[in-house]
Amino acid sequence: MSITHASIVPLIGGMTIAQQLEFDDTPPDYLLSFSPFKNNDSHLVNYYKNEVPYIVLDEGGKHPHRVDVVSSTCPCAGLSSLSQSAASDSPMNEWMFKSSEYILEKVQPRVLFAENAPRLASKLGEPVVEKLRQIGHKNGYTFSIFRTASRLHGLSQVRERTFYFFWKENGRVPLLEYTNKHAEPESIETTIDLAKLACNVDPMSQILANEKTPSQDPYYRYLLEVVQGGVSHRDYAVSLTRTANVLRAIEASGHDYMRVSEWMTQNGFAKHAERCKSMHLKLGMGGNVMRKQIEVPCGVIGAFVGHMPTMLTHHREDRFLTVREVLSIMKMPLDFQLLNPLKNLNHCCQNVPVTTARHPARMVRKYLEGKLDFENSDFIIQDNHRDRVQTGDSPLESFM
C-alpha cells in the first residue's frame, strides 16, 4: 500500500524519519513549519538535501496538496516535568493547537499524529486535551492518546512520552497494539558502540560533545582517587552495575561534602571547595543541590536531555561522547549530519528517538490497511505500560 505523508514542525526529524521507514522508505511529500523552528528544522532539511519541499507557513507558504498522514513534533515544554513553567495554559502549548488546526482544516489527512510530554495524559493536561478534542471534532476527527516510554520500545534510556492522534473517523477510534514488554532493552553500551558503523570519514565521529577529559574533572578525580582507591575511568566503568552520577556516587559512599571540600582545597580547586561547603550546608538544612555532573553509563541511562549529551562519558574510553554517538542514542540514521553541531547539540534532545516513533507510525500504517480493531468512542487513552485502555471522559490522573 502506497502511503503519502508529510510533517509539520518536524524539528530535527525523528518522527519524520520513523514514518518514512514504516512507509516503504518513501520520503515525505513536504515539510511544513513556522519561522521560530527554522533553525531546529534545518538539520532535517539538510538530510533530505533540499529535495523535499520545506514550506514556512507564517512566511506565506501553503501546503501543495493533500496527503494520507501528517506527523508533528511540536515543543513539549508547556507540559514537560523538566520545565519549571509547565502549565496547561503555557504559551508553548499554542503550537499544538495552531499546527493541528492548520492540518485538520487545510490538509485534511486521514491521520495526524504527534508527540508530546507524558503530562498530556494527566490531570495537568486535561485542558490541553479538551481543546485538541474540540479542534478534532470541529473537523470530523476522533482523538486518542497513547502513553508509553522509550524503554518499552527497546531503547536504553528511561523517558516517558505521549503520542496523540486525530483519526478521520465517525464515533470510533482504532486500538493500537501494545509493545512487547518482555524484550530486553538494548544496553547503552551497545547503543554507543553502534555509532562505529558510520563511515570512516564521518565528520560527526570526529567531534566530541565535550572536549575535556572526564577523569580530570575535580569531582570525578575525587571519586576515582579517594572513594575508589585510585582506579582508572575504564576500571570504574566496567565495575558498575548501573549508570553512575559522580555526585550521587560520592554521596552514596558516605563521604560528606566537607570532606570533599578539604580534598579540593589541598589539590588547588578553591572554587570547588567553596561549592562543596555550600552543598554540605544546604543538604544539612534539608535542601537539595543540582547534580548535573558526569554520568558514567551502564545498562540504561536517564532521559537524554539537559546535561546528558555533554556529560555522559564513553563506557570504556576516558572521554565524552562524539556527536555521532549522541545522535545514535536518539537512533538517528548513521548518515545524518548535525549542522553546527556543538552550538546545536541540544537539538538532538528536542526530538523523538526514531525507534520510539516507529511504533506509532507502524500502527498508523496498520490502521490505513484496515488491520486494527476499533473502540466505539470519540476519545480513548491507551497505556502501554499496563496494556490498558480508558474510554470516554474518565479522569486522566488514573493513568499516572
Side-chain angles (χ1 to χ4, degrees):
M1 177 181 183
S2 177
I3 299 173
T4 58
H5 63 102
S7 293
I8 185 168
V9 191
L11 303 184
I12 193 174
M15 288 274 283
T16 307
I17 292 169
Q19 68 194 39
Q20 172 174 331
L21 292 172
E22 292 298 328
F23 300 162
D24 300 319
D25 204 23
T26 303
D29 283 24
Y30 50 83
L31 305 171
L32 305 175
S33 199
F34 301 97
S35 55
F37 305 110
K38 288 169 70 172
N39 191 29
N40 297 71
D41 300 335
S42 64
H43 315 287
L44 184 64
V45 174
N46 177 69
Y47 176 68
Y48 286 124
K49 301 183 178 4
N50 297 303
E51 293 175 358
V52 173
Y54 178 63
I55 301 158
V56 183
L57 297 175
D58 57 339
E59 293 182 353
K62 295 181 179 180
H63 72 285
H65 55 265
R66 181 185 173 279
V67 290
D68 298 315
V69 181
V70 178
S71 71
S72 179
T73 319
C74 281
C76 63
L79 292 173
S80 173
S81 59
L82 300 173
S83 173
Q84 296 180 350
S85 60
S88 60
D89 60 353
S90 168
M92 294 302 291
N93 296 328
E94 290 297 324
W95 292 112
M96 280 193 281
F97 308 142
K98 188 172 184 177
S99 61
S100 297
E101 286 176 332
Y102 181 88
I103 295 299
L104 301 186
E105 291 177 6
K106 306 294 186 183
V107 182
Q108 299 182 354
R110 293 182 64 185
V111 185
L112 164 62
F113 75 113
E115 182 267 355
N116 209 261
R119 284 180 172 176
L120 186 68
S122 74
K123 189 70 175 178
L124 180 68
E126 276 190 335
V128 177
V129 169
E130 181 57 30
K131 187 162 183 178
L132 290 171
R133 288 179 62 190
Q134 290 175 4
I135 293 170
H137 180 73
K138 182 178 69 173
N139 291 283
Y141 289 80
T142 55
F143 187 74
S144 70
I145 291 173
F146 190 80
R147 182 169 176 255
T148 188
S150 288
R151 286 205 72 195
L152 301 179
H153 302 274
L155 270 75
S156 54
Q157 60 171 300
V158 178
R159 190 173 186 182
E160 299 283 319
R161 303 313 301 168
T162 298
F163 292 90
Y164 61 95
F165 303 78
F166 294 93
W167 310 96
K168 194 65 172 175
E169 290 287 339
N170 182 22
R172 66 176 193 168
V173 178
L175 289 166
L176 309 190
E177 297 170 359
Y178 300 107
T179 56
N180 183 1
K181 317 296 189 304
H182 305 293
E184 191 68 24
E186 179 180 271
S187 72
I188 184 62
E189 295 93 329
T190 298
T191 303
I192 292 170
D193 282 341
L194 287 173
K196 292 179 179 178
L197 298 176
C199 67
N200 293 330
V201 294
D202 173 31
M204 300 296 99
S205 296
Q206 312 304 315
I207 303 171
L208 291 172
N210 183 341
E211 294 184 349
K212 295 180 180 179
T213 302
S215 63
Q216 297 305 306
D217 173 87
Y219 296 104
Y220 195 26
R221 270 190 60 186
Y222 181 88
L223 178 64
L224 295 176
E225 296 176 14
V226 181
V227 177
Q228 295 293 323
V231 302
S232 66
H233 165 73
R234 183 187 181 94
D235 289 342
Y236 178 65
V238 299
S239 74
L240 294 175
T241 57
R242 59 185 296 180
T243 295
N245 173 280
V246 165
L247 292 186
R248 292 192 183 279
I250 292 172
E251 294 167 18
S253 73
H255 291 224
D256 65 44
Y257 283 112
M258 285 306 294
R259 183 175 175 181
V260 181
S261 178
E262 292 172 3
W263 183 89
M264 293 289 183
T265 299
Q266 293 168 4
N267 286 272
F269 302 115
K271 290 184 178 179
H272 292 81
E274 289 303 312
R275 186 188 174 215
C276 286
K277 291 177 183 178
S278 175
M279 289 194 293
H280 180 81
L281 179 62
K282 193 169 184 180
L283 290 172
M285 296 173 62
N288 203 356
V289 297
M290 296 288 285
R291 296 181 178 86
K292 294 183 177 180
Q293 246 292 332
I294 288 173
E295 306 267 349
V296 185
C298 179
V300 176
I301 61 173
F304 198 63
V305 296
H307 71 294
M308 290 289 279
T310 57
M311 297 300 280
L312 185 67
T313 72
H314 192 272
H315 51 285
R316 290 186 303 271
E317 302 171 22
D318 190 8
R319 63 171 176 82
F320 293 101
L321 300 183
T322 66
V323 175
R324 174 59 62 206
E325 289 164 343
V326 168
L327 288 165
S328 290
I329 289 176
M330 300 304 289
K331 292 298 180 181
M332 299 301 284
L334 290 173
D335 60 345
F336 190 94
Q337 305 293 308
L338 191 68
L339 304 177
N340 199 350
L342 295 184
K343 179 181 178 181
N344 294 324
L345 193 66
N346 192 51
H347 289 181
C348 298
C349 304
Q350 301 164 2
N351 186 27
V352 187
V354 173
T355 308
T356 307
R358 287 190 71 167
H359 178 72
R362 189 177 306 125
M363 294 301 99
V364 167
R365 179 176 187 128
K366 284 197 169 189
Y367 160 73
L368 295 174
E369 293 174 341
K371 296 179 180 179
L372 294 180
D373 294 329
F374 287 84
E375 184 74 35
N376 290 322
S377 176
D378 64 358
F379 171 47
I380 67 170
I381 307 173
Q382 289 185 254
D383 186 348
N384 196 35
H385 294 268
R386 302 176 182 88
D387 291 11
R388 190 165 62 131
V389 61
Q390 178 175 306
T391 61
D393 298 306
S394 301
L396 297 178
E397 65 267 29
S398 63
F399 268 70
M400 299 302 287

